[in-house]
Amino acid sequence: MTAVLTWQRLRDLKWSELQDAADGWGEVSNRADAARDRVSNEMTNQLATSQKGEAATAALGRLKRLDRNFEYLYTECGLVRTTLNSLAFELSGAQRRLKDALEDAANLRFTVHPDGSVSYPAGGENITDGKELPGGSTNGSPLGTPYGPPLGAPSGGPLLAHANPHHVKAQDIADRILRAVNEAQDIDTRFSVTLGRLKAAPGLTVDTKTWTDAAADAAAVRGAADDYLKKDIPNDKSPAERKAWWTSLTQEQREEYLAVYPNEIGNLDGIPSEVRDTANRDNLQLLIGKLEGQEGEKARAQLAGLKSIDGQLRAEPEKGVPPMYLLGIGDEGNGRAIVSFGNPDASRNVSAYVPGLGTSLDEAFAKNDVQRARDTAKAASDIDDSSAAIVWLGYDAPQMPAEKVIDNAGVMFERDGKAGAVAYNDFMAGISVTNHNPDPHVTAIGHSYGSFTVGQAAQRDGGIPGADDIVLLGSPGTGADSAEDLGVGKDHVYVGAADNDPVTMLPSEDEASALGAGVVGGASAGAVLGLGIGGPVGGVVGGVTGGVVGGIAGYMSSEDDSELWFGTDPAHEDFGAQRFKVDDGPRPYIDGQGATPAHSNYFDPVKDPMSAQNIALIVAGRSDQISTEEPR
């Protein structure tokens, strides 16, 4: 458009030409996406598995660089497409309002002049002489102008010229014309700035700085496209309604949402898993670019976690492990990450594991918790190859440092678990509606504090959507009195509790208080729960090690052995669950592996093969084959 927009140019604008241009950019984006898939899924994987040596290594490096280039082209061209479509959408609205005003003028036989003023004929009657009031012309005002003389104005003055009834209508038309033109001018200016951002530096090299710029580009386009796209995203709907919404979209609409709002689509429960994976892989690069330029411990920790997950997604697939899907990613709160090994929409058996206290999106999560899902998927797939295992970090688990636990242990722990339970049930409802099998077998798994979150989810109205079995590992309690309270029947609640895992022997809050150790007990509980996480949490907990050990010793001699921090001990006979065999594990400190080594071994096929195999059997729907042991 020109610097000054006239109403004639707006009237004659063919915004469909903008849509045609958007289609062209969309075609380029799609071609880049197809090329990226071919480079990644065909050329790179085949070369990695069939060739070795320096030449192959060099070729792989070039292919990976080409993959990143195509990924960047896909992203940026997709942003251009949506920007042009958003521009056409908004201009069409301004043009429609202009044409409505012009049509009203034509119907009234008013004349619209090139400068936007409107002439109207004589009409009405002068109250002083009875003659017809003359016609005239009026210019538009963006805010409108007062119509007619003020109430109580003296008769016979110039204001009576406005008594011509045509003046009011002409003024309205002139105002609407001016507002439509100004609106279109503002739209043009705003989108010109946005489009001006969508360009690469000369000699394209896709590196971290490039993705930092791309993250800023995406944010700018989202701001410009909110009215065009975002308002229709069904964030406040059920997973079933979201699935129906996605199904109803055209292919072009889906492509635009993926290009501009991968952060929204990738984390929307009810959207098919393959779509979420595509969106989250793209958003992962934008998040890395966004965090790369930020300071602070949280940004650095999340960046390390994101890069680790990105490396795993790009790595050569491990033999016997189902393919990796990224079902959620985000930097809000302590970070979000949902990783599946195996497609949960296609698999007959699906499990979703919730990690515990101290877990956040960082390198430790990407290394340890993701590995637990990988190990479970591999072992379950050896039993039934239609199995998928998920690690779900879709909530803010309680965090250290220990002084926060001392001040607010019970309240803080319960609050986060209950909030997480709502989000977990939404996710599980999404898994249920997107699974292609008529009756999939679904297992909810909670480890450590995550077992409390799962227990809270199970006790909500309707229970955990789709869940057939519940597995509680290293649990400090679920908040339930018995397994029957968890909604799947006590015979479908399974518990793994190592004899040397002190987390499964924590006292109730009442017991801690009775022992005169309420504060110390709270600190010990939080510390013990967190020690199994590793990483920075271990350093924090080091300062309270003496209290932990002393607390454990006192708690193990407590008279009431059925109560834990969060209610009845799931491994106790009073709870009524099925307890399966696990290795006793190393003794705290005595065996030289720290405070809670047995607490972290349940998923590990090397350190605790018995537990890992039992978990896999339950996930694969073969719980009748697990090895059991007597409850406490």
Side-chain angles (χ1 to χ4, degrees):
M1 289 187 183
T2 59
V4 177
L5 177 64
T6 66
W7 65 264
Q8 296 93 331
R9 287 182 177 272
L10 178 58
R11 177 197 61 191
D12 298 336
L13 173 69
K14 294 181 173 62
W15 47 264
S16 59
E17 293 179 353
L18 290 172
Q19 292 179 318
D20 292 340
D23 290 342
W25 284 98
E27 179 64 22
V28 175
S29 178
N30 291 339
R31 286 176 180 265
D33 190 33
R36 175 183 61 168
D37 285 345
R38 185 181 177 196
V39 169
S40 177
N41 297 331
E42 296 180 26
M43 301 170 68
T44 301
N45 289 345
Q46 288 184 14
L47 183 62
T49 55
S50 63
Q51 303 293 324
K52 303 295 179 183
E54 292 184 8
T57 300
L60 280 173
R62 294 189 184 96
L63 286 173
K64 289 178 180 178
R65 185 165 61 249
L66 186 61
D67 181 293
R68 288 192 295 271
N69 288 352
F70 280 131
E71 185 172 13
Y72 178 73
L73 284 172
Y74 159 76
T75 298
E76 290 289 298
C77 291
L79 293 175
V80 173
R81 171 179 58 183
T82 297
T83 302
L84 290 172
N85 275 332
S86 298
L87 174 59
F89 172 78
E90 293 201 29
L91 285 176
S92 68
Q95 185 188 62
R96 183 177 62 255
R97 285 182 278 279
L98 169 69
K99 288 185 174 182
D100 287 344
L102 294 175
E103 183 179 353
D104 288 346
N107 291 336
L108 293 168
R109 292 187 170 86
F110 292 174
T111 300
V112 179
H113 300 284
D115 65 354
S117 61
V118 178
S119 295
Y120 54 92
E125 181 180 313
N126 190 318
I127 62 174
T128 60
D129 57 15
K131 294 181 180 180
E132 187 176 40
L133 292 168
S137 180
T138 184
N139 293 304
S141 169
L143 301 177
T145 55
Y147 299 142
L151 185 64
S155 61
L159 287 173
L160 287 180
H162 288 185
N164 184 332
H166 297 307
H167 171 83
V168 174
K169 297 176 182 178
Q171 185 67 60
D172 175 64
I173 291 170
D175 291 345
R176 288 157 59 195
I177 290 172
L178 182 59
R179 285 197 294 268
V181 172
N182 287 346
E183 178 188 1
Q185 187 69 64
D186 290 344
I187 292 168
D188 179 57
T189 300
R190 177 159 47 88
F191 277 89
S192 292
V193 172
T194 302
L195 283 168
R197 299 182 59 102
L198 302 179
K199 57 185 179 181
L204 175 62
T205 299
V206 178
D207 53 16
T208 300
K209 183 178 182 301
T210 307
W211 282 112
T212 300
D213 291 339
D217 293 345
V221 173
R222 289 168 192 159
D226 277 357
D227 288 341
Y228 171 59
L229 287 177
K230 187 175 182 179
K231 62 183 178 61
D232 292 327
I233 299 176
N235 288 302
D236 58 346
K237 302 295 185 181
S238 70
E241 290 171 313
R242 293 167 181 168
K243 180 188 177 185
W245 168 77
W246 184 260
T247 301
S248 72
L249 298 178
T250 66
Q251 182 60 29
E252 180 181 357
Q253 288 172 321
R254 293 176 187 174
E255 291 168 0
E256 286 199 83
Y257 277 111
L258 288 172
V260 182
Y261 293 105
N263 57 324
E264 298 263 357
I265 302 303
N267 292 288
L268 202 60
D269 298 324
I271 300 298
S273 294
E274 289 187 345
V275 176
R276 292 181 70 163
D277 177 62
T278 296
N280 286 314
R281 287 176 187 248
D282 293 336
N283 192 42
L284 178 61
Q285 301 309 313
L286 297 176
L287 283 172
I288 289 173
K290 173 186 174 182
L291 294 175
E292 191 72 46
Q294 295 185 9
E295 298 293 333
E297 181 180 346
K298 174 184 172 182
R300 287 191 293 270
Q302 290 189 349
L303 183 60
L306 292 171
K307 287 185 174 180
S308 178
I309 290 173
D310 183 47
Q312 293 178 55
L313 287 166
R314 295 179 183 277
E316 180 182 344
E318 183 180 339
K319 185 177 181 181
V321 177
M324 188 174 178
Y325 289 79
L326 189 59
L327 303 182
I329 200 73
D331 62 344
E332 63 268 31
N334 298 322
R336 301 287 186 268
I338 307 172
V339 178
S340 178
F341 291 92
N343 185 345
D345 293 354
S347 300
R348 288 189 299 271
N349 306 298
V350 181
S351 68
Y353 141 62
V354 183
L357 182 140
T359 309
S360 61
L361 176 55
D362 56 16
E363 196 166 13
F365 168 83
K367 177 182 177 181
N368 300 325
D369 294 285
V370 172
Q371 183 62 44
R372 288 168 179 170
R374 182 184 284 108
D375 288 339
T376 300
K378 186 177 186 301
S381 294
D382 287 343
I383 302 167
D384 184 341
D385 60 7
S386 184
S387 298
I390 301 166
V391 54
W392 181 85
L393 181 59
Y395 79 125
D396 284 330
Q399 300 293 303
M400 304 302 277
E403 61 265 19
K404 291 185 179 179
V405 179
I406 293 173
D407 292 339
N408 204 21
V411 174
M412 182 184 72
F413 284 2
E414 289 193 6
R415 177 199 65 202
D416 293 337
K418 289 177 179 178
V422 176
Y424 183 69
N425 279 355
D426 285 344
F427 174 76
M428 297 299 275
I431 292 298
S432 294
V433 301
T434 58
N435 192 283
H436 305 157
N437 294 281
D439 186 21
H441 172 249
V442 178
T443 304
I445 303 175
H447 173 241
S448 189
Y449 179 83
S451 66
F452 175 71
T453 303
V454 168
Q456 291 298 298
Q459 292 174 78
R460 293 185 63 81
D461 288 345
I464 300 173
D468 299 288
D469 295 314
I470 292 176
V471 177
L472 308 171
L473 303 167
S475 178
T478 64
D481 293 329
S482 73
E484 286 289 359
D485 297 333
L486 301 186
V488 294
K490 66 178 184 179
D491 291 339
H492 291 274
V493 179
Y494 302 89
V495 177
D499 284 345
N500 290 326
D501 180 358
V503 174
T504 70
M505 300 180 186
L506 292 174
S508 68
E509 290 184 83
D510 290 341
E511 288 174 328
S513 177
L515 289 169
V519 172
V520 175
S524 300
V528 172
L529 284 168
L531 275 167
I533 306 299
V537 176
V540 174
V541 175
V544 293
T545 296
V548 174
V549 177
I552 292 171
Y555 299 156
M556 286 184 174
S557 62
S558 174
E559 293 182 3
D560 188 351
D561 61 358
S562 70
E563 291 297 309
L564 294 183
W565 192 266
F566 294 118
T568 305
D569 176 6
H572 196 276
E573 62 180 355
D574 290 352
F575 194 73
Q578 294 199 62
R579 186 183 182 190
F580 57 83
K581 286 186 178 180
V582 303
D583 189 84
D584 290 344
R587 293 168 294 177
Y589 288 104
I590 297 174
D591 292 327
Q593 297 184 38
T596 59
H599 187 58
S600 303
N601 293 346
Y602 294 103
F603 296 91
D604 196 315
V606 175
K607 294 182 178 179
D608 194 344
M610 185 182 302
S611 174
Q613 181 65 12
N614 281 327
I615 294 170
L617 285 167
I618 296 168
V619 169
R622 307 289 176 81
S623 57
D624 58 321
Q625 299 178 21
I626 65 172
S627 53
T628 61
E629 62 177 310
E630 291 297 315
R632 290 172 177 164

